[in-house]
């Protein structure tokens, strides 16, 4: 009885949470905060046209202005800051806020090196026997060329630093390798390409695995599968991600155990050993062949658009989960998922993406569609319950929603069947009046057959 009273009382605690970022990932995070048992006031820096319906937009401060963020948090008595994208983590925002007694979710600058430097990631993997592709690192063009003369093609050339997802090139022959090595080492990606990694091409299928960590313990959040290429059938240029689904029907409990034992635990122990314990979300990009997982890359934050399909499956309270990581209490946190729930997300982009795309186009009926979804009204005679429109590159001007980015909307649906969730997503997309936009039509197709 006493316990029940205490639990009920927490329902009325008003938390103030600042979310940094402006993508579909941050919209999904804001929704998860809104659905938490706490009655939280959310601030979004800088947010987008969808987030503004559930959060106060903070658009007068730059993400790079650490002092202004500190002042804002103090003035508004922010309980904690959630940092979405990698750049502010790599820039040390968590360290700066923590030093100023502002609680913050995410890894320190030094732990963020797992994403900021592919060479650092490889070194940690080597030191802790984590399976990855065989590789060498170079900062000299001739030495790199001598190396590629000896190896098999395709090979993979990677800029060491952050390059907005564009720094990985798969070279099918010597000429392509030569040209890309020259371009990267000559500054195509700025200082991110001062050094490169050249590695063997791995076969298999890809999966993204997420764990939340508190420096000592971690809790698995599950797998998602991404569709990275712009064209249907995985063709064309690489993108930030054109769609996702979760959970993974391909990965058994045994395989998950193997991923934890051979990749996650050794990495987290290795980070502790070098004095950079990892807090926040560790996102492992994996290549799996014959049930043998190898690490492709680490990211040090939630994925976008993976978060959009991971968070709707979380049954436990999201704010409690995040605070347990910040407070170092994850060992006491009991996580639960909606085990049967299947989630599909399709990303809608401005035509031209991922190259030059048209900007400031009008998403004519988004506000009325959102209104219909919020009120459970049928859309074109279809019942689209459990479908959400999450915004990414959008803004609002004179009550008009405009597309200002490459990836603009995420249409997300859940159901007990992938097929039904997927049909709902595409039924909604059929009703979106946006001539200047496009999406892939084959997201989650392979898991939606009868
Ligand atoms: P990364 O940013 O390192 O994950 O690389 C981006 C994408 O390039 C991955 O999602 C894979 O599709 C591909 N890739 C990276 N490294 C390799 C590799 N060693 N073998 C095959 N494909 C790779």
């Amino acid at each position: 009885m006493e316990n029940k009273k205490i639990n009920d009382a927490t329902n009325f605690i008003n938390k103030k949470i600042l979310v940094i970022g402006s993508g579909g990932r941050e919209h999904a995070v804001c929704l998860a905060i809104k659905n938490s048992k706490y009655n939280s006031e959310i601030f979004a820096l800088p947010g987008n046209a969808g987030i503004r319906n559930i959060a106060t937009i903070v658009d007068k401060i730059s993400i790079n202005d650490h002092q202004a963020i500190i002042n804002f948090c103090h003035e508004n008595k922010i309980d904690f800051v959630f940092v979405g994208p990698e750049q502010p983590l790599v820039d040390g925002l968590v360290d700066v806020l923590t030093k100023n007694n502002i609680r913050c979710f995410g890894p320190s600058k030094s732990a963020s090196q797992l994403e900021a430097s592919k060479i650092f990631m490889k070194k940690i993997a080597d030191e802790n026997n984590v399976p990855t592709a065989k590789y060498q690192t170079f900062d000299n063009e001739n030495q790199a060329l001598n190396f590629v003369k000896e190896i098999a093609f395709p090979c993979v050339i990677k800029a060491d630093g952050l390059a907005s997802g564009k720094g990985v090139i798969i070279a099918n022959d010597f000429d392509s390798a030569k040209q890309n090595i020259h371009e990267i080492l000559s500054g195509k990606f700025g200082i991110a390409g001062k050094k490169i990694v050249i590695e063997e091409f791995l076969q298999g299928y890809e999966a993204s695995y997420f764990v939340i960590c508190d420096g000592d313990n971690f809790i698995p959040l599950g797998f998602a599968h991404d569709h990275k290429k712009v064209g249907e059938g995985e063709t064309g240029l690489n993108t930030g991600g054109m769609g996702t689904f979760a959970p993974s029907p391909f990965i058994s409990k045994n395989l998950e155990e193997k991923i934890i034992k051979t990749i996650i635990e050794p990495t987290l122990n290795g980070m502790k050993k070098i004095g950079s314990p990892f807090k926040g979300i560790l996102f492992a990009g994996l290549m799996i062949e014959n049930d043998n997982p190898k690490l492709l890359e680490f990211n040090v934050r939630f994925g976008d658009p993976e978060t959009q399909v991971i968070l709707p499956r979380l049954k436990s309270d999201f704010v409690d989960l995040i605070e347990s990581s910040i407070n170092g209490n994850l060992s006491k946190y009991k996580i639960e998922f909606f085990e049967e729930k299947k989630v599909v997300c399709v990303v809608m982009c401005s035509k031209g993406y991922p190259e030059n795309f048209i900007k400031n186009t009008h998403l004519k009926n988004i506000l009325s569609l959102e209104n219909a979804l919020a009120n459970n009204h049928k859309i074109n005679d279809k019942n689209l319950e459990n479908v959400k429109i999450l915004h990414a590159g959008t803004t609002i001007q004179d009550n008009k929603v405009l597309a200002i980015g490459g990836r603009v909307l995420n249409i997300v649906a859940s159901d007990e069947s992938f097929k039904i969730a997927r049909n709902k997503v595409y039924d909604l997309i059929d009703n979106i009046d946006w001539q200047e936009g496009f999406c892939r039509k084959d997201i989650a197709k392979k898991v939606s057959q009868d």
Side-chain angles (χ1 to χ4, degrees):
M1 192 62 197
E2 200 51 33
N3 266 347
K4 173 147 186 13
K5 263 193 204 149
I6 292 167
N7 283 340
D8 285 347
T10 59
N11 289 339
F12 301 101
I13 294 174
N14 187 8
K15 294 194 185 261
K16 291 183 158 194
I17 301 168
L18 174 64
V19 175
I20 308 256
S22 61
R25 165 184 51 210
E26 286 75 24
H27 196 167
V29 164
C30 288
L31 271 184
I33 294 173
K34 189 165 171 277
N35 291 335
S36 143
K37 68 186 180 207
Y38 299 102
N39 180 20
S40 303
E41 187 175 358
I42 312 171
F43 298 86
L45 191 173
N48 58 40
I51 292 176
R52 87 191 246 291
N53 296 322
I54 47 175
T56 304
I57 295 295
V58 183
D59 53 5
K60 299 279 182 289
I61 296 177
S62 152
I63 287 188
N64 303 321
D65 189 344
H66 291 180
Q67 190 55 49
I69 298 175
I70 294 167
N71 296 345
F72 178 86
C73 291
H74 283 151
E75 279 158 22
N76 290 282
K77 300 194 167 45
I78 295 294
D79 283 284
F80 70 84
V81 179
F82 183 104
V83 186
E86 60 277 19
Q87 193 65 56
L89 294 168
V90 171
D91 291 343
L93 182 58
V94 170
D95 310 57
V96 170
L97 293 180
T98 309
K99 233 181 246 157
N100 283 275
N101 301 318
I102 298 159
R103 295 159 75 233
C104 196
F105 176 73
S108 64
K109 181 176 175 138
S110 65
S112 301
Q113 287 302 300
L114 276 179
E115 175 165 359
S117 165
K118 302 221 182 262
I119 296 176
F120 177 88
M121 181 282 266
K122 286 288 196 183
K123 194 164 159 273
I124 291 288
D126 281 351
E127 287 168 3
N128 297 282
N129 296 321
V130 172
T132 70
K134 292 196 196 84
Y135 74 103
Q136 296 252 5
T137 66
F138 300 93
D139 58 8
N140 174 291
E141 203 172 320
N142 285 333
Q143 285 168 5
L145 284 180
N146 284 337
F147 177 70
V148 287
K149 276 182 196 150
E150 309 290 320
I151 60 171
F153 287 97
C155 73
V156 187
I157 301 163
K158 299 183 174 185
D160 176 44
L162 293 182
S164 312
K166 295 181 188 139
V168 174
I169 285 110
I170 294 170
N172 287 315
D173 51 44
F174 180 77
D175 286 344
S176 150
K178 185 176 172 187
Q179 186 188 341
N180 281 294
I181 288 168
H182 175 72
E183 284 177 4
I184 300 176
L185 286 175
S186 310
K188 183 178 182 185
F189 302 119
I191 53 163
K194 259 187 95 126
K195 292 183 185 164
I196 55 171
V197 171
I198 303 181
E199 69 181 31
E200 73 176 314
F201 180 82
L202 297 176
Q203 306 282 351
Y205 69 92
E206 287 185 55
S208 306
Y209 188 49
F210 295 84
V211 296
I212 183 166
C213 316
D214 69 2
D216 267 322
N217 297 291
F218 71 94
I219 298 178
L221 298 179
F223 293 90
H225 291 282
D226 186 11
H227 298 65
K228 280 207 171 69
K229 297 271 173 29
V230 70
E232 275 149 42
E234 289 306 312
T235 52
L237 295 173
N238 251 336
T239 68
M242 298 298 289
T244 37
F245 61 88
S248 172
F250 314 117
I251 294 176
S252 64
K253 268 278 152 214
N254 274 349
L255 179 53
E256 180 172 10
E257 226 13 70
K258 199 170 185 180
I259 291 164
I260 289 174
K261 289 281 169 245
T262 61
I263 296 174
I264 303 298
E265 284 180 352
T267 301
L268 293 177
N269 289 337
M271 294 302 285
K272 252 193 261 178
K273 260 191 281 173
I274 61 162
S276 292
F278 191 90
K279 279 186 146 192
I281 299 293
L282 186 63
F283 158 1
L286 306 167
M287 186 70 89
I288 300 164
E289 189 185 26
N290 299 328
D291 265 9
N292 280 320
K294 286 193 176 164
L295 176 69
L296 286 178
E297 64 162 346
F298 275 128
N299 296 312
V300 296
R301 33 78 196 178
F302 269 121
D304 188 345
E306 288 88 347
T307 312
Q308 290 85 313
V309 292
I310 293 277
L311 291 187
R313 302 192 67 253
L314 181 69
K315 194 172 179 187
S316 317
D317 193 273
F318 181 69
V319 171
D320 277 345
L321 177 65
I322 298 303
E323 293 206 295
S324 298
S325 160
I326 298 173
N327 298 340
N329 280 338
L330 276 181
S331 63
K332 297 199 190 99
Y333 186 86
K334 174 100 191 57
I335 198 153
E336 283 185 279
F337 294 97
F338 294 107
E339 298 290 346
E340 296 308 316
K341 203 186 240 191
K342 314 287 188 294
V343 193
V344 174
C345 167
V346 174
V347 178
M348 296 194 73
C349 304
S350 299
K351 279 185 184 163
Y353 177 80
E355 296 185 290
N356 286 338
F357 53 83
I358 338 168
K359 280 193 186 153
N360 293 316
T361 58
H362 185 193
L363 297 154
K364 295 193 188 96
N365 62 346
I366 284 301
L367 294 175
S368 65
L369 287 175
E370 283 173 333
N371 199 32
L373 291 175
N375 291 299
N376 276 335
H377 291 165
K378 286 192 170 173
I379 295 174
N380 227 346
D381 260 356
K382 295 249 163 69
N383 176 1
L384 297 183
E385 216 185 338
N386 296 326
V387 183
K388 294 228 158 10
I389 299 174
L390 301 183
H391 290 233
T394 63
T395 190
I396 193 152
Q397 270 173 28
D398 304 328
N399 220 26
K400 282 185 178 167
V401 178
L402 303 179
I404 54 168
R407 293 190 298 162
V408 174
L409 296 175
N410 303 257
I411 314 304
V412 182
S414 345
D415 192 89
E416 288 196 358
S417 125
F418 273 124
K419 188 174 178 182
I420 296 175
R422 177 174 191 270
N423 286 344
K424 284 183 177 181
V425 167
Y426 284 112
D427 280 342
L428 183 73
I429 287 175
D430 284 344
N431 284 283
I432 293 178
D433 184 2
W434 184 33
Q435 298 306 313
E436 299 87 356
F438 76 101
C439 67
R440 266 178 68 166
K441 297 281 165 32
D442 62 345
I443 302 300
K445 192 172 174 185
K446 65 180 172 210
V447 291
S448 302
Q449 325 281 357
D450 274 325

